[in-house]
Amino acid sequence: MQAQKVKGYAADFSRIVSTTWAFLFKYRKIFLAVPVVIAAIYLAMRGLAQLPDAVGVILNTQGMFSVSISKGTAVWGSFGITMLCVALMCLSRKVLYPWLVSWFSLALPILLMALNYFVHM
């Protein structure tokens, strides 16, 4: 009698785990894309608030920027690259590689802010 109860609980637990796993696997693209989109929006808002009007991109040997772009181009360009990576992730069969690329693309606005912060000090 006790063994039958244990087998019943084990079967219920196995069914719950398999259902949960199937749900997570089915909607994995959404679960992986949401944190990337939130981080990209946060970095875009922060970039719009903190970057100067002319953002330096290429630093030459004298410590000056040889190429400058507008703040909007810097912010929305890096945001667009990240969103393109998220779109490729949603269209791809393999999700993990485009997801990792989209996380690495979030480094672009951080690097732009750091470079322009330390040069303009």
Side-chain angles (χ1 to χ4, degrees):
M1 186 65 152
Q2 190 70 5
Q4 292 294 342
K5 278 187 173 183
V6 171
K7 285 183 182 181
Y9 291 143
D12 290 342
F13 180 74
S14 174
R15 189 174 56 245
I16 290 170
V17 168
S18 67
T19 303
T20 304
W21 183 254
F23 176 78
L24 290 175
F25 186 77
K26 184 176 181 180
Y27 298 109
R28 70 190 181 277
K29 293 179 182 181
I30 296 170
F31 292 135
L32 291 174
V34 167
V36 174
V37 170
I38 290 172
I41 291 170
Y42 172 75
L43 288 172
M45 290 173 36
R46 189 169 175 184
L48 285 173
Q50 291 182 351
L51 284 174
D53 290 334
V55 178
V57 179
I58 299 175
L59 193 62
N60 60 19
T61 57
Q62 287 83 21
M64 300 298 293
F65 290 112
S66 58
V67 175
S68 294
I69 57 175
S70 69
K71 177 178 18 178
T73 303
V75 170
W76 297 116
S78 58
F79 182 76
I81 290 171
T82 303
M83 290 302 111
L84 180 65
C85 291
V86 170
L88 289 175
M89 180 191 75
C90 290
L91 296 174
S92 175
R93 279 186 176 183
K94 298 193 185 269
V95 176
L96 190 59
Y97 299 127
W99 179 71
L100 288 175
V101 170
S102 66
W103 273 108
F104 285 123
S105 71
L106 289 174
L108 183 60
I110 295 169
L111 292 173
L112 282 173
M113 282 189 275
L115 180 66
N116 283 280
Y117 176 76
F118 288 118
V119 170
H120 289 296
M121 281 183 70

